[in-house]
Amino acid sequence: MGTTVDTEMLFTDALKNDRGDIFSDHMATSFRIWMEAKDVMSEEVVTISMNESVVSAAKLMAENNISCIVVVNNDIVAGILTETDLLRKVAGQNKDFDKVRISEIMSSPVIDIAPELPVLEVSRILNENGIKRLPVIDKNQLVGIITQTDMVRVMTFYGMWKDVGEIMSRDVAVIQKEGTVADAAHIMNTRKCSCVVVLSGSDVAGIITEKDMMKKVVAVKKDPTNTRAEEVMSWPVISIPADHSAFSSSRMMEQKRIRRMVVMENERLCGIVTQTDIFRAIKKKLQTDEEKNIKSLDNSIHSIYTLDTDGQITYVNQSFMKLFDVVDCKEFINQLFLPERFWVNPEDREQFLSELKSEKLELKELTLKTSKGNKIYVTIFNIITRNVHGDINGSQGIIYDITPQKELLALRKTEEMLIQAKAKAEAANEAKSQFIANMSHEIRTPMNAIIGFSDFLADEKMTKEQKEYINLIRESGQNLLRVINDILDFTKIEADKLDIEIIACSLSHLLNSIESMMRLKANEKGLEFKVIKNDGLPDQICTDPTRLRQCLINLVGNAIKFTEKGHVYVRVSLETTGNNSNIRFDVEDTGIGILEDSCNKIFEPFTQADGSTTRKFGGTGLGLTITKRLVGLLGGKLNLTSQVGTGSAFSIAIPVGLDATKQQLLETNNIDCYWEDELNKVEIKKFSGKALVAEDVKTNQILMKLLLGTMGIEVTIAENGNEVIQKALAEEFDLIFMDILMPYMDGYEALKALRSEGVVTPIIALTANAMTEDVKKCVEAGFDDYLAKPLDHFKLMKIINKYLLSEAPAQIETLNSSL
């Protein structure tokens, strides 16, 4: 069975949340749902034919002690006859009671009601029409009657605590006891009242009611004009003080079977209180409380509804309509919960209604949608309501919008998934980075020997053919090294581990290096190569010169590679927009050009313009990808314009980083190409000293012996970390070259052990791991310097010169300034 509650408990919590109190002892809209006409009506209805006489009607009323009779014609309600009808339409006009037919004085047409009408609606109809009883009709059949007395009886259960002094009638209709019944009837008819108080002088002697006149005059056929008031009055009169409660007064009337009492104050008549007065006061209080409760529900932040036993909606509040983006409650009232257009899944609606009818529904989570089609998630709390007989008369509920919680929850199953995906991606990236680093190390180790020996042999005397072979080996090794470096750079960018160091640097030095490095390659292909500088360029800029040089070398190298004839130019200019200044580098060529639909694709990893280009010119397809991302890291942009068969222009624009207006201007004369030539002309003399080389790879041992030996350095080899420690402690050395990855004990452990033993000899790290973090790790570990494999001979000489005396210091100084 579904959850059932007392009807006085509707949404107590909701009302407390909204207002902090409860408006009444009963539930909101209680009288609309709690009691209906059938719960209050008298089922034993006295009826009479419309052709009977008034006297017969009066006798029936007197015998049954009732105040009205329903008039029927062939079992159909034709009218209603009340005490008031009898007195005002007969007694007051001196008519012969026996000759007056009921049809002449009955009230018709009759206002009737259905048995399901809520009692508050019944009270409204009684009050608005100024009547005291209503026939109850069901399927065209008379099934009962509701009187004002019935209504007062049931409505006082609701609670009525006013004093009678607040609701009594002070304008009391009175007559002296010597007056006639006809006079009393005239007063009652004129004053529109149901009784007169009979006085003896100024004292209350009795009271004449419509019932008294009907029972003691009309029913016995007395002449009202010749009958004195004191003959028909009721006495002694029941009186109450003005501070007597209306509730107690109503109970007293019911017990005494009377409908009015006089109100006395200081033994003097001050008013009269009738059942009608009490009814109106209670009805007004009920109506006020009802309106207050309805207003409370309408203003509630909760979405509240009521349903009948068929699941049809009888009430929705403002929050309910707001939840579904509806402005008129007519879209819901008298429709099954809810109209189909508010359901995401029609099957859910059928199941909901089925559970509702089976009384099993109390808490339900649903996915619905608003009138605008927006999906909402709600939790419905539904309670079954019962009438005073304990019969189910519908249900009521609150809808809680849990969409934000659902979305937050979904955002958290999503956030968690993203965290997991991020963790997996990072792990995969880390694994990839580690793999690339390992592969780089494994490739660089043999590359160290290949490039090192080929460089050494290139300086030896040999035939022209042998020289050509050696140069091919050198070039192939350098190409392979470039591929490795590209892949490393790309991996570092992908892993967000590429360091950018923004510093003030010389634009002229940067352009000189580009000119020196790239002119030889252009000359080898018969291409004209120029760096063309516009006027007004600053000599200093603030950027990462290493990465900017890498970008320009990539673009110029590509331009030379894809150009068979013509020229490759680098145009350098200053762009100023407002307070922002950019240095622009346009690398122009007269090469093969790029198809329009390939212009964006070539910046994607491992991609070139087309497959044939890749086969013809080679390359990893990473150069432009790396360049574009590096330019972005420098705060700039990379653009491309190209025409097939005519050539291409790649444009880099990066911030100057300094106030260009305050910089010394760059000289625009031709750049001297001395950098590479001077470097190649350096003659290195011999050093003097002893070096311990820790290297586990045989080829690299031989190479280091050869390179250091030609410089006049005596070399001792150690094949692992343990051996390094033994030899360094047994003999003094001027330098120690320490490979990082060695068996038994790596370079870091060996360094730590040597320093702990008090060895202060300069120790140079040798490693094929070329990531930035590797360099940082070496420095933090305490190495004095760092050399990456494959070894650069000039960098090696510069390191040696730093720590050993040279036999030709002048030449070495030239070397240092060139490097």
Side-chain angles (χ1 to χ4, degrees), residues 3 15 72 99 123 127 137 182 218 246 252 289 353 474 508 561 643 675 719 783 804:
T3 301
L15 291 174
V72 295
K99 296 180 180 179
S123 67
N127 190 58
I137 306 295
V218 178
M252 189 178 294
D289 286 351
L353 292 173
R474 293 176 71 190
S508 61
K561 180 165 70 171
Q643 187 174 348
W675 189 82
E719 295 192 351
F783 283 101
L804 298 182

Side-chain angles (χ1 to χ4, degrees), residues 16 23 32 55 69 96 173 175 191 204 237 259 271 280 344 394 446 456 552 605 671 726 742 787 791 809:
K16 282 182 178 177
F23 286 118
R32 295 187 184 278
V55 174
I69 299 178
D96 187 347
I175 190 173
R191 300 277 296 272
V204 176
V237 177
R259 288 188 289 173
R280 287 174 178 169
V344 174
F456 182 80
L552 292 172
I671 297 174
Q726 293 172 8
M742 293 183 295
L787 282 172
L791 293 177

Side-chain angles (χ1 to χ4, degrees), residues 6 92 109 112 123 173 210 353 356 439 464 513 585 655-656 744 758 819:
D6 189 319
D112 58 56
S123 67
E210 291 174 333
L353 292 173
L356 191 66
M439 288 302 99
K464 182 178 180 182
S513 67
F585 304 88
V656 172
Y744 306 117
L819 292 174

Side-chain angles (χ1 to χ4, degrees), residues 692-750:
L692 175 61
V693 176
E695 173 64 65
D696 61 313
V697 178
K698 202 71 176 176
T699 55
N700 288 335
Q701 292 174 1
I702 297 171
L703 178 62
M704 285 297 287
K705 269 191 173 184
L706 183 62
L707 293 176
L708 294 175
T710 57
M711 299 179 198
I713 299 173
E714 184 181 339
V715 178
T716 298
I717 299 294
E719 295 192 351
N720 56 61
N722 290 334
E723 196 174 325
V724 169
I725 297 172
Q726 293 172 8
K727 292 186 177 181
L729 294 177
E731 187 179 352
E732 287 190 7
F733 295 94
D734 298 298
L735 278 178
I736 299 176
F737 292 92
M738 183 84 75
D739 188 27
I740 294 298
L741 293 181
M742 293 183 295
Y744 306 117
M745 182 184 289
D746 66 22
Y748 296 113
E749 293 174 301

Side-chain angles (χ1 to χ4, degrees), residues 147-160:
T147 67
Q148 183 175 277
T149 301
D150 298 323
M151 291 297 298
V152 171
R153 183 182 303 117
V154 70
M155 291 168 72
T156 50
F157 280 108
Y158 176 76
M160 179 64 194

Side-chain angles (χ1 to χ4, degrees), residues 103 180 208 252 344 360 412 419 431 439 544 572 617 645 684 687 693 713 758 797:
S103 59
T180 65
I208 298 178
M252 189 178 294
V344 174
K360 294 180 180 178
R412 286 176 177 169
I419 290 173
M439 288 302 99
D544 186 325
V572 189
F617 295 98
I684 306 301
F687 296 87
V693 176
I713 299 173
M797 283 186 273

